[in-house]
Amino acid sequence: MASSLDHLAARTRVEWLAGLNTEYHPARNYRRTSIIGTIGPKTNSVPAINTLRKHGLNVVRMNFSHGSYEYHQSVVDHAKEAERIQPGRPLAVALDTKGPEIRTGNTVGDADIPIAQGTELNITTDDKYATKCDDKNMYVDYKNITKVIEAGRTIYVDDGVLSFEVLKVVDDQTLHVRCMNNGKISSKKGVNLPKTDVDLPALSEKDKNDLRFGVKNKVDMVFASFIRRASDITAIREVLGEAGKDIQIIAKIENQQGVNNFDEILEVTDGVMVARGDLGIEIPPAQVFIAQKMMIAKCNMAGKPVICATQMLESMTYNPRPTRAEVSDVGNAVTDGADCVMLSGETAKGNYAKESVGMMHETCLIAEQGISYVSHFDELRSLAPRPCETMESCAIAAVSSSLELNAGAILVLTTSGKSARMISKYRPVCPIIMVTRNATASRYSHLYRGVYPFLFPERKPDFNKENWQEDVDNRLKWGIESAIKLNILSKGDKVVCVQGWRGGMGHTNTIRIVPAEEDLGLADA
């Protein structure tokens, strides 16, 4: 692994990139970027999940657009059992909501009805056509479509397989449209309205029930679909309630509204997913590239985790090797600054699930070598809010110290994981070893780039009877020992330790430098 001294020797991004060696491979499997994998029929078992973990999986995703509660319960149970029986770091569980959506009605007999380019027809919200769609009248279930759309706009059906130009708003139930390409009208297909602000509710009744299922099963994070404004996040928090207050909400940005309102969404969400599937339909595909870079950069500046998703290694669903473009896509997401990358059908239904995770691991590991960490740190530090909160100031100092000392790791003791997130924001060269007694935080901290979460197994002592500093030192020693076992730290390395001045949340204000030794170097004191 390239050291802090290597990075300090090439302080600018251009210098670092010019010095890259195409034959270089890190000596250690220190991958900073987390991997999220969707669990489907091919991988919904304890052995299959643990196989994916061995190849690099960190977060299990459940897609609530498909499957019954019974099925999703089995995914949760299998994930928890996989974590229990196979030693290793914690395994997080994510619930991906279906979200508000617009769909067509049913054709007669659910037949596929051919339609030719240039055909004119009506798109209607009249319920009498809900089960009688044909090439003259096609039903959609969004009652306000005639109020929000105007002539000249485009309507996409079935992920853009069919597209229609709006010629005229006829009345409050009817649009007159022209088909822009040959295709087929089919039952219950998704509808997208690019460049049109829709007023659908943030949560359907199904979404609310799904969130309650997540609270009951103590999922670690929710991937909230089609977030369009900050109030959508507030609505989700209300449903999660007190019992789900620690569940991390990740806003999926999937349309122009979400992009336009990104700043207000970022302020209230725990993290962001650049969900490029629907986004690539809602806005021109060439603009998705710019939207991705903009959103990742803003998340990096805010110190909030960002996930890049959709079609990352799509061809590996049925092929043992990805395309070169897919590998470059993953690598570019990593160098853009994504904290996590996600696999969908590749692991849910693919024939090469473990190979997909392995390829993602290898690509991330190599791509991370292309980042000029020192120049990145310098930029983020110059953009830090002034005055800083104490915790963020400590995070900046810890990363700066790790660079100057060529430290083997930064070890942070944390309750909520916020200190680890702040350190992750400033992208140290070395790994961030997070030690916590909070099982939930140990799982959702996989969202943070470079953080290796470890759950400390001993209960919190009564500090009225036992020495608090002794407990701190025990956690530091255990964290160092765990990192050495995982081969991300070597004995004798310098370790920058970040801790609080007393127990509990919100007290991080202390930095110590210790050697990676059993006694923390205290025997010589």
Side-chain angles (χ1 to χ4, degrees), residues 236-253:
I236 292 169
R237 289 203 195 282
E238 288 175 1
V239 176
L240 293 177
E242 180 65 20
K245 69 182 190 309
D246 293 329
I247 295 174
Q248 302 294 289
I249 301 174
I250 307 301
K252 293 173 66 179
I253 306 301

mmCIF file with all atom_site columns, all heavy atoms in Angstrom, residues 236-253:
data_model
loop_
_atom_site.group_PDB
_atom_site.id
_atom_site.type_symbol
_atom_site.label_atom_id
_atom_site.label_alt_id
_atom_site.label_comp_id
_atom_site.label_asym_id
_atom_site.label_entity_id
_atom_site.label_seq_id
_atom_site.pdbx_PDB_ins_code
_atom_site.Cartn_x
_atom_site.Cartn_y
_atom_site.Cartn_z
_atom_site.occupancy
_atom_site.B_iso_or_equiv
_atom_site.pdbx_formal_charge
_atom_site.auth_seq_id
_atom_site.auth_comp_id
_atom_site.auth_asym_id
_atom_site.auth_atom_id
_atom_site.pdbx_PDB_model_num
ATOM 1   N N   . ILE A 1 236 ? -40.296 10.250 6.315  1.00 0.00 ? 236 ILE A N   1
ATOM 2   C CA  . ILE A 1 236 ? -39.763 8.912  6.603  1.00 0.00 ? 236 ILE A CA  1
ATOM 3   C C   . ILE A 1 236 ? -39.361 8.813  8.076  1.00 0.00 ? 236 ILE A C   1
ATOM 4   O O   . ILE A 1 236 ? -39.642 7.805  8.742  1.00 0.00 ? 236 ILE A O   1
ATOM 5   C CB  . ILE A 1 236 ? -38.577 8.603  5.677  1.00 0.00 ? 236 ILE A CB  1
ATOM 6   C CG1 . ILE A 1 236 ? -39.068 8.447  4.235  1.00 0.00 ? 236 ILE A CG1 1
ATOM 7   C CG2 . ILE A 1 236 ? -37.844 7.331  6.122  1.00 0.00 ? 236 ILE A CG2 1
ATOM 8   C CD1 . ILE A 1 236 ? -37.961 8.403  3.202  1.00 0.00 ? 236 ILE A CD1 1
ATOM 9   N N   . ARG A 1 237 ? -38.728 9.863  8.604  1.00 0.00 ? 237 ARG A N   1
ATOM 10  C CA  . ARG A 1 237 ? -38.326 9.841  10.022 1.00 0.00 ? 237 ARG A CA  1
ATOM 11  C C   . ARG A 1 237 ? -39.546 9.708  10.934 1.00 0.00 ? 237 ARG A C   1
ATOM 12  O O   . ARG A 1 237 ? -39.494 9.036  11.967 1.00 0.00 ? 237 ARG A O   1
ATOM 13  C CB  . ARG A 1 237 ? -37.563 11.117 10.379 1.00 0.00 ? 237 ARG A CB  1
ATOM 14  C CG  . ARG A 1 237 ? -36.177 11.180 9.774  1.00 0.00 ? 237 ARG A CG  1
ATOM 15  C CD  . ARG A 1 237 ? -35.255 12.115 10.542 1.00 0.00 ? 237 ARG A CD  1
ATOM 16  N NE  . ARG A 1 237 ? -34.071 12.414 9.752  1.00 0.00 ? 237 ARG A NE  1
ATOM 17  C CZ  . ARG A 1 237 ? -33.035 11.606 9.607  1.00 0.00 ? 237 ARG A CZ  1
ATOM 18  N NH1 . ARG A 1 237 ? -33.035 10.427 10.211 1.00 0.00 ? 237 ARG A NH1 1
ATOM 19  N NH2 . ARG A 1 237 ? -31.997 11.967 8.870  1.00 0.00 ? 237 ARG A NH2 1
ATOM 20  N N   . GLU A 1 238 ? -40.649 10.352 10.545 1.00 0.00 ? 238 GLU A N   1
ATOM 21  C CA  . GLU A 1 238 ? -41.864 10.258 11.361 1.00 0.00 ? 238 GLU A CA  1
ATOM 22  C C   . GLU A 1 238 ? -42.384 8.824  11.416 1.00 0.00 ? 238 GLU A C   1
ATOM 23  O O   . GLU A 1 238 ? -42.827 8.346  12.460 1.00 0.00 ? 238 GLU A O   1
ATOM 24  C CB  . GLU A 1 238 ? -42.931 11.201 10.806 1.00 0.00 ? 238 GLU A CB  1
ATOM 25  C CG  . GLU A 1 238 ? -42.630 12.674 11.054 1.00 0.00 ? 238 GLU A CG  1
ATOM 26  C CD  . GLU A 1 238 ? -43.635 13.599 10.391 1.00 0.00 ? 238 GLU A CD  1
ATOM 27  O OE1 . GLU A 1 238 ? -44.583 13.075 9.748  1.00 0.00 ? 238 GLU A OE1 1
ATOM 28  O OE2 . GLU A 1 238 ? -43.477 14.824 10.505 1.00 0.00 ? 238 GLU A OE2 1
ATOM 29  N N   . VAL A 1 239 ? -42.315 8.130  10.286 1.00 0.00 ? 239 VAL A N   1
ATOM 30  C CA  . VAL A 1 239 ? -42.786 6.735  10.255 1.00 0.00 ? 239 VAL A CA  1
ATOM 31  C C   . VAL A 1 239 ? -41.837 5.832  11.051 1.00 0.00 ? 239 VAL A C   1
ATOM 32  O O   . VAL A 1 239 ? -42.283 4.942  11.783 1.00 0.00 ? 239 VAL A O   1
ATOM 33  C CB  . VAL A 1 239 ? -42.920 6.225  8.806  1.00 0.00 ? 239 VAL A CB  1
ATOM 34  C CG1 . VAL A 1 239 ? -43.301 4.746  8.785  1.00 0.00 ? 239 VAL A CG1 1
ATOM 35  C CG2 . VAL A 1 239 ? -43.957 7.039  8.051  1.00 0.00 ? 239 VAL A CG2 1
ATOM 36  N N   . LEU A 1 240 ? -40.534 6.062  10.938 1.00 0.00 ? 240 LEU A N   1
ATOM 37  C CA  . LEU A 1 240 ? -39.571 5.244  11.682 1.00 0.00 ? 240 LEU A CA  1
ATOM 38  C C   . LEU A 1 240 ? -39.730 5.434  13.183 1.00 0.00 ? 240 LEU A C   1
ATOM 39  O O   . LEU A 1 240 ? -39.555 4.488  13.961 1.00 0.00 ? 240 LEU A O   1
ATOM 40  C CB  . LEU A 1 240 ? -38.139 5.606  11.259 1.00 0.00 ? 240 LEU A CB  1
ATOM 41  C CG  . LEU A 1 240 ? -37.744 5.249  9.827  1.00 0.00 ? 240 LEU A CG  1
ATOM 42  C CD1 . LEU A 1 240 ? -36.327 5.731  9.536  1.00 0.00 ? 240 LEU A CD1 1
ATOM 43  C CD2 . LEU A 1 240 ? -37.840 3.746  9.580  1.00 0.00 ? 240 LEU A CD2 1
ATOM 44  N N   . GLY A 1 241 ? -40.067 6.654  13.608 1.00 0.00 ? 241 GLY A N   1
ATOM 45  C CA  . GLY A 1 241 ? -40.363 6.917  15.013 1.00 0.00 ? 241 GLY A CA  1
ATOM 46  C C   . GLY A 1 241 ? -39.182 6.719  15.942 1.00 0.00 ? 241 GLY A C   1
ATOM 47  O O   . GLY A 1 241 ? -38.031 6.561  15.528 1.00 0.00 ? 241 GLY A O   1
ATOM 48  N N   . GLU A 1 242 ? -39.482 6.713  17.222 1.00 0.00 ? 242 GLU A N   1
ATOM 49  C CA  . GLU A 1 242 ? -38.456 6.574  18.255 1.00 0.00 ? 242 GLU A CA  1
ATOM 50  C C   . GLU A 1 242 ? -37.735 5.238  18.144 1.00 0.00 ? 242 GLU A C   1
ATOM 51  O O   . GLU A 1 242 ? -36.518 5.158  18.308 1.00 0.00 ? 242 GLU A O   1
ATOM 52  C CB  . GLU A 1 242 ? -39.093 6.716  19.640 1.00 0.00 ? 242 GLU A CB  1
ATOM 53  C CG  . GLU A 1 242 ? -38.132 6.584  20.808 1.00 0.00 ? 242 GLU A CG  1
ATOM 54  C CD  . GLU A 1 242 ? -37.085 7.687  20.880 1.00 0.00 ? 242 GLU A CD  1
ATOM 55  O OE1 . GLU A 1 242 ? -37.302 8.760  20.275 1.00 0.00 ? 242 GLU A OE1 1
ATOM 56  O OE2 . GLU A 1 242 ? -36.037 7.467  21.522 1.00 0.00 ? 242 GLU A OE2 1
ATOM 57  N N   . ALA A 1 243 ? -38.489 4.166  17.847 1.00 0.00 ? 243 ALA A N   1
ATOM 58  C CA  . ALA A 1 243 ? -37.877 2.829  17.771 1.00 0.00 ? 243 ALA A CA  1
ATOM 59  C C   . ALA A 1 243 ? -36.887 2.720  16.619 1.00 0.00 ? 243 ALA A C   1
ATOM 60  O O   . ALA A 1 243 ? -35.963 1.910  16.668 1.00 0.00 ? 243 ALA A O   1
ATOM 61  C CB  . ALA A 1 243 ? -38.963 1.765  17.622 1.00 0.00 ? 243 ALA A CB  1
ATOM 62  N N   . GLY A 1 244 ? -37.067 3.561  15.590 1.00 0.00 ? 244 GLY A N   1
ATOM 63  C CA  . GLY A 1 244 ? -36.179 3.492  14.428 1.00 0.00 ? 244 GLY A CA  1
ATOM 64  C C   . GLY A 1 244 ? -35.288 4.711  14.284 1.00 0.00 ? 244 GLY A C   1
ATOM 65  O O   . GLY A 1 244 ? -34.793 4.996  13.188 1.00 0.00 ? 244 GLY A O   1
ATOM 66  N N   . LYS A 1 245 ? -35.048 5.422  15.382 1.00 0.00 ? 245 LYS A N   1
ATOM 67  C CA  . LYS A 1 245 ? -34.312 6.691  15.299 1.00 0.00 ? 245 LYS A CA  1
ATOM 68  C C   . LYS A 1 245 ? -32.856 6.515  14.883 1.00 0.00 ? 245 LYS A C   1
ATOM 69  O O   . LYS A 1 245 ? -32.228 7.447  14.374 1.00 0.00 ? 245 LYS A O   1
ATOM 70  C CB  . LYS A 1 245 ? -34.386 7.448  16.622 1.00 0.00 ? 245 LYS A CB  1
ATOM 71  C CG  . LYS A 1 245 ? -33.634 6.825  17.788 1.00 0.00 ? 245 LYS A CG  1
ATOM 72  C CD  . LYS A 1 245 ? -33.819 7.651  19.061 1.00 0.00 ? 245 LYS A CD  1
ATOM 73  C CE  . LYS A 1 245 ? -32.919 7.222  20.190 1.00 0.00 ? 245 LYS A CE  1
ATOM 74  N NZ  . LYS A 1 245 ? -32.916 5.813  20.514 1.00 0.00 ? 245 LYS A NZ  1
ATOM 75  N N   . ASP A 1 246 ? -32.300 5.322  15.081 1.00 0.00 ? 246 ASP A N   1
ATOM 76  C CA  . ASP A 1 246 ? -30.897 5.089  14.711 1.00 0.00 ? 246 ASP A CA  1
ATOM 77  C C   . ASP A 1 246 ? -30.735 4.547  13.299 1.00 0.00 ? 246 ASP A C   1
ATOM 78  O O   . ASP A 1 246 ? -29.615 4.362  12.820 1.00 0.00 ? 246 ASP A O   1
ATOM 79  C CB  . ASP A 1 246 ? -30.247 4.117  15.701 1.00 0.00 ? 246 ASP A CB  1
ATOM 80  C CG  . ASP A 1 246 ? -30.105 4.716  17.096 1.00 0.00 ? 246 ASP A CG  1
ATOM 81  O OD1 . ASP A 1 246 ? -29.945 5.952  17.177 1.00 0.00 ? 246 ASP A OD1 1
ATOM 82  O OD2 . ASP A 1 246 ? -30.167 3.969  18.083 1.00 0.00 ? 246 ASP A OD2 1
ATOM 83  N N   . ILE A 1 247 ? -31.851 4.262  12.626 1.00 0.00 ? 247 ILE A N   1
ATOM 84  C CA  . ILE A 1 247 ? -31.781 3.770  11.243 1.00 0.00 ? 247 ILE A CA  1
ATOM 85  C C   . ILE A 1 247 ? -31.325 4.917  10.336 1.00 0.00 ? 247 ILE A C   1
ATOM 86  O O   . ILE A 1 247 ? -31.911 6.000  10.349 1.00 0.00 ? 247 ILE A O   1
ATOM 87  C CB  . ILE A 1 247 ? -33.140 3.220  10.783 1.00 0.00 ? 247 ILE A CB  1
ATOM 88  C CG1 . ILE A 1 247 ? -33.514 1.976  11.602 1.00 0.00 ? 247 ILE A CG1 1
ATOM 89  C CG2 . ILE A 1 247 ? -33.119 2.881  9.297  1.00 0.00 ? 247 ILE A CG2 1
ATOM 90  C CD1 . ILE A 1 247 ? -34.912 1.444  11.320 1.00 0.00 ? 247 ILE A CD1 1
ATOM 91  N N   . GLN A 1 248 ? -30.284 4.684  9.566  1.00 0.00 ? 248 GLN A N   1
ATOM 92  C CA  . GLN A 1 248 ? -29.757 5.708  8.666  1.00 0.00 ? 248 GLN A CA  1
ATOM 93  C C   . GLN A 1 248 ? -30.631 5.815  7.413  1.00 0.00 ? 248 GLN A C   1
ATOM 94  O O   . GLN A 1 248 ? -30.954 4.799  6.789  1.00 0.00 ? 248 GLN A O   1
ATOM 95  C CB  . GLN A 1 248 ? -28.322 5.367  8.263  1.00 0.00 ? 248 GLN A CB  1
ATOM 96  C CG  . GLN A 1 248 ? -27.373 5.217  9.444  1.00 0.00 ? 248 GLN A CG  1
ATOM 97  C CD  . GLN A 1 248 ? -27.150 6.515  10.180 1.00 0.00 ? 248 GLN A CD  1
ATOM 98  O OE1 . GLN A 1 248 ? -26.497 7.424  9.692  1.00 0.00 ? 248 GLN A OE1 1
ATOM 99  N NE2 . GLN A 1 248 ? -27.716 6.621  11.379 1.00 0.00 ? 248 GLN A NE2 1
ATOM 100 N N   . ILE A 1 249 ? -31.009 7.038  7.063  1.00 0.00 ? 249 ILE A N   1
ATOM 101 C CA  . ILE A 1 249 ? -31.833 7.257  5.869  1.00 0.00 ? 249 ILE A CA  1
ATOM 102 C C   . ILE A 1 249 ? -30.929 7.731  4.734  1.00 0.00 ? 249 ILE A C   1
ATOM 103 O O   . ILE A 1 249 ? -30.267 8.763  4.842  1.00 0.00 ? 249 ILE A O   1
ATOM 104 C CB  . ILE A 1 249 ? -32.938 8.296  6.130  1.00 0.00 ? 249 ILE A CB  1
ATOM 105 C CG1 . ILE A 1 249 ? -33.846 7.829  7.269  1.00 0.00 ? 249 ILE A CG1 1
ATOM 106 C CG2 . ILE A 1 249 ? -33.747 8.535  4.855  1.00 0.00 ? 249 ILE A CG2 1
ATOM 107 C CD1 . ILE A 1 249 ? -34.881 8.859  7.692  1.00 0.00 ? 249 ILE A CD1 1
ATOM 108 N N   . ILE A 1 250 ? -30.904 6.960  3.667  1.00 0.00 ? 250 ILE A N   1
ATOM 109 C CA  . ILE A 1 250 ? -30.114 7.284  2.476  1.00 0.00 ? 250 ILE A CA  1
ATOM 110 C C   . ILE A 1 250 ? -31.073 7.728  1.377  1.00 0.00 ? 250 ILE A C   1
ATOM 111 O O   . ILE A 1 250 ? -31.912 6.944  0.918  1.00 0.00 ? 250 ILE A O   1
ATOM 112 C CB  . ILE A 1 250 ? -29.285 6.063  2.011  1.00 0.00 ? 250 ILE A CB  1
ATOM 113 C CG1 . ILE A 1 250 ? -28.448 5.491  3.171  1.00 0.00 ? 250 ILE A CG1 1
ATOM 114 C CG2 . ILE A 1 250 ? -28.406 6.443  0.823  1.00 0.00 ? 250 ILE A CG2 1
ATOM 115 C CD1 . ILE A 1 250 ? -27.468 6.458  3.792  1.00 0.00 ? 250 ILE A CD1 1
ATOM 116 N N   . ALA A 1 251 ? -30.965 8.976  0.969  1.00 0.00 ? 251 ALA A N   1
ATOM 117 C CA  . ALA A 1 251 ? -31.870 9.527  -0.052 1.00 0.00 ? 251 ALA A CA  1
ATOM 118 C C   . ALA A 1 251 ? -31.422 9.102  -1.438 1.00 0.00 ? 251 ALA A C   1
ATOM 119 O O   . ALA A 1 251 ? -30.309 9.420  -1.860 1.00 0.00 ? 251 ALA A O   1
ATOM 120 C CB  . ALA A 1 251 ? -31.886 11.054 0.054  1.00 0.00 ? 251 ALA A CB  1
ATOM 121 N N   . LYS A 1 252 ? -32.290 8.393  -2.150 1.00 0.00 ? 252 LYS A N   1
ATOM 122 C CA  . LYS A 1 252 ? -31.999 8.008  -3.533 1.00 0.00 ? 252 LYS A CA  1
ATOM 123 C C   . LYS A 1 252 ? -32.443 9.147  -4.462 1.00 0.00 ? 252 LYS A C   1
ATOM 124 O O   . LYS A 1 252 ? -33.622 9.509  -4.478 1.00 0.00 ? 252 LYS A O   1
ATOM 125 C CB  . LYS A 1 252 ? -32.721 6.708  -3.895 1.00 0.00 ? 252 LYS A CB  1
ATOM 126 C CG  . LYS A 1 252 ? -32.209 5.502  -3.135 1.00 0.00 ? 252 LYS A CG  1
ATOM 127 C CD  . LYS A 1 252 ? -33.062 4.262  -3.385 1.00 0.00 ? 252 LYS A CD  1
ATOM 128 C CE  . LYS A 1 252 ? -32.983 3.772  -4.816 1.00 0.00 ? 252 LYS A CE  1
ATOM 129 N NZ  . LYS A 1 252 ? -33.791 2.551  -5.028 1.00 0.00 ? 252 LYS A NZ  1
ATOM 130 N N   . ILE A 1 253 ? -31.505 9.704  -5.188 1.00 0.00 ? 253 ILE A N   1
ATOM 131 C CA  . ILE A 1 253 ? -31.814 10.792 -6.115 1.00 0.00 ? 253 ILE A CA  1
ATOM 132 C C   . ILE A 1 253 ? -32.023 10.175 -7.494 1.00 0.00 ? 253 ILE A C   1
ATOM 133 O O   . ILE A 1 253 ? -31.095 9.645  -8.102 1.00 0.00 ? 253 ILE A O   1
ATOM 134 C CB  . ILE A 1 253 ? -30.682 11.834 -6.139 1.00 0.00 ? 253 ILE A CB  1
ATOM 135 C CG1 . ILE A 1 253 ? -30.378 12.321 -4.715 1.00 0.00 ? 253 ILE A CG1 1
ATOM 136 C CG2 . ILE A 1 253 ? -31.055 13.002 -7.051 1.00 0.00 ? 253 ILE A CG2 1
ATOM 137 C CD1 . ILE A 1 253 ? -31.543 12.955 -3.989 1.00 0.00 ? 253 ILE A CD1 1
#
